[in-house]
Amino acid sequence: MATAMETLKKKTVRINGCVASAQAAKYADVDVIAAYPIRPYTATMMALAQMVANGELDAEYIVADSEHSQLSIAHGASSSGARVFTGSSGVGVQFAYELYSPISGSRMPVQMMIADRTLDPPGDFGSEHTDALSTRDMGWLMGWACDAQEAFDNHLIAYRIGEDRRVLLPQMVCQDGFFVSHITTDVELPDPGQVKEFLPPYKHPYPLDPRRPVSHGPQIMPEQGPPLQLERARAMEGCMPVIEEIHEEFARIFGRRYDAWLEEYKTDDAEIVFFLQGGHAVTARFAINHMREQGIKVGMVRLRTIRPYPTDRVCETLSKFKVVGVIETNMGLGSVSSGGSLYAEAAAALYESPKRPLIMSFMAGMGGEAIVLKEFYWMAQKMTDAQKRGKIEKRTHWVGFEE
């Protein structure tokens, strides 16, 4: 008798990013789901609970008593050989902070969906990337989707990368709260046969199994520490060709092609570019189209993967332009730019380039606000002025609070 998944065929549905993530977990045939509600990611777990209750998905659905418990459950389940799905938002991401290093240190490919939101304060519903970016150096693969289709696809791609024996790393599959998590768009759901071809069953080489005893745990002797840290560093660096390989395979099977690292939009003759990640790229494209009609040579470079960071690719790409405006949707209080964290990494990537563009940081969309069209025009004007002067006015601008 055919299962519910086997009877499905490729179709296009109109869903939001939260439901797209839940659908991806279903198509990935996850074994264990660890849930704890915090908006705006809650809708993902609501959708998965309904799928399990309706018999659409055969998975163990565990409601935790906190985000810390969520990640503990996910860690144990993955260690036992289960394909795991969990998630959170905002302060929930930080409540589980203790678990991120042990999970990557034990090389368990746990997947965590992040529908990000501002931390407290202001703690509102809207998107800010500070929650996930505060964990960016814990050994997890990490990247942002700009719409629901990409969110769905990124989950499948991340499972395939993280579970690859050459990688074995956990993944944070991020999307902007509200702007992606709750706005509906058309999403193509594939034939399950395509997913089966792309994503083989998860088999960890060293699962916890009483028939073959192994020891897992983060507490080790001091002299064992440096090799463990080096191993994690090499795993993160070494997975870059694997990431490119798997993106190519995804394109072959599903017919949708994503650059593993960067999306470029109207950059062929651009002199100034926005550099950003996440859902605000959708508005940026509209603004760029309008400014192009006015003769402004502006484009966009969107960072799709931030861990591992594509240093060489960022350097090569951004070096082509006169001025780069880094749009931050995260807080880096007291940082090198007194703004966000994306500026510092973009500037570091460009440091060895013989053709360094002018680079400035724009604090925009903070507190979960939308970045509206007029603000993209304002930022483009600041970049154009810097190009004419041959120098930036100042390192960081707070959009909406300056003339």
Side-chain angles (χ1 to χ4, degrees), residues 316-375:
E316 176 188 355
T317 301
L318 296 187
S319 294
K320 298 184 295 185
F321 311 114
K322 304 294 185 183
V323 186
V324 174
V326 181
I327 299 179
E328 303 279 12
T329 46
N330 70 93
M331 291 297 294
L333 299 171
S335 68
V336 65
S337 66
S338 295
S341 62
L342 297 187
Y343 169 91
E345 295 195 334
L350 286 164
Y351 181 76
E352 295 181 358
S353 172
K355 295 172 59 180
R356 285 198 298 269
L358 298 173
I359 183 168
M360 63 181 70
S361 175
F362 293 111
M363 302 301 290
M366 304 308 296
E369 288 193 345
I371 308 177
V372 296
L373 289 172
K374 68 178 182 179
E375 292 176 337

Side-chain angles (χ1 to χ4, degrees), residues 265-274 288 291-300 321-323 380 383-384 387:
Y265 186 75
K266 298 200 171 180
T267 59
D268 287 347
D269 64 341
E271 295 180 347
I272 62 174
V273 293
F274 300 113
I288 288 166
M291 287 185 279
R292 281 281 178 170
E293 292 173 358
Q294 298 175 337
I296 301 171
K297 294 183 177 180
V298 58
M300 179 189 75
F321 311 114
K322 304 294 185 183
V323 186
M383 288 192 285
T384 300
Q387 181 182 356

Side-chain angles (χ1 to χ4, degrees), residues 118-340:
T118 59
L119 299 177
D120 297 336
D124 60 51
F125 185 75
S127 177
E128 209 178 275
H129 297 177
T130 313
D131 52 2
L133 285 176
S134 68
T135 75
R136 65 187 180 275
D137 298 323
M138 291 292 102
W140 288 55
L141 306 174
M142 181 183 292
W144 263 261
C146 72
D147 56 32
Q149 180 71 69
E150 191 175 9
F152 178 90
D153 295 340
N154 283 358
H155 281 289
L156 298 182
I157 292 169
Y159 269 127
R160 178 63 193 280
I161 295 167
E163 293 175 359
D164 191 293
R165 289 197 178 201
R166 295 168 292 177
V167 180
L168 290 177
L169 288 172
Q171 319 103 48
M172 286 190 181
V173 183
C174 306
Q175 59 180 265
D176 292 67
F178 179 71
F179 299 115
V180 178
S181 68
H182 280 64
I183 292 179
T184 58
T185 56
D186 286 343
V187 174
E188 182 183 282
L189 300 179
D191 186 311
Q194 294 175 293
V195 180
K196 190 173 181 180
E197 179 184 358
F198 177 72
L199 186 61
Y202 165 52
K203 291 183 179 180
H204 197 280
Y206 305 107
L208 290 174
D209 187 338
R211 296 165 297 181
R212 190 182 64 170
V214 294
S215 177
H216 291 184
Q219 304 299 323
I220 58 179
M221 299 298 291
E223 63 270 18
Q224 295 175 284
L228 173 63
Q229 300 294 49
L230 179 59
E231 181 183 302
R232 273 199 288 188
R234 285 176 172 168
M236 188 63 78
E237 294 167 3
C239 74
M240 297 186 81
V242 180
I243 291 172
E244 293 177 350
E245 171 191 318
I246 288 172
H247 274 78
E248 285 299 313
E249 187 170 354
F250 182 90
R252 177 182 63 81
I253 294 172
F254 295 92
R256 288 187 296 279
R257 181 174 298 277
Y258 297 100
D259 189 292
W261 313 111
L262 302 174
E263 175 205 348
E264 292 190 53
Y265 186 75
K266 298 200 171 180
T267 59
D268 287 347
D269 64 341
E271 295 180 347
I272 62 174
V273 293
F274 300 113
F275 183 62
L276 76 167
Q277 63 181 18
H280 294 295
V282 175
T283 313
R285 294 189 198 112
F286 280 96
I288 288 166
N289 291 342
H290 183 245
M291 287 185 279
R292 281 281 178 170
E293 292 173 358
Q294 298 175 337
I296 301 171
K297 294 183 177 180
V298 58
M300 179 189 75
V301 178
R302 178 171 68 95
L303 187 63
R304 293 194 67 251
T305 302
I306 193 168
R307 288 295 181 273
Y309 193 84
T311 305
D312 293 341
R313 181 67 182 281
V314 169
C315 179
E316 176 188 355
T317 301
L318 296 187
S319 294
K320 298 184 295 185
F321 311 114
K322 304 294 185 183
V323 186
V324 174
V326 181
I327 299 179
E328 303 279 12
T329 46
N330 70 93
M331 291 297 294
L333 299 171
S335 68
V336 65
S337 66
S338 295

Side-chain angles (χ1 to χ4, degrees), residues 33-37 41 45 61-66 70 85-87:
I33 301 163
Y36 186 77
Y41 115 100
M45 291 305 178
Y61 189 98
I62 303 171
V63 180
D65 60 9
S66 71
Q70 267 186 282
F85 184 86
T86 190

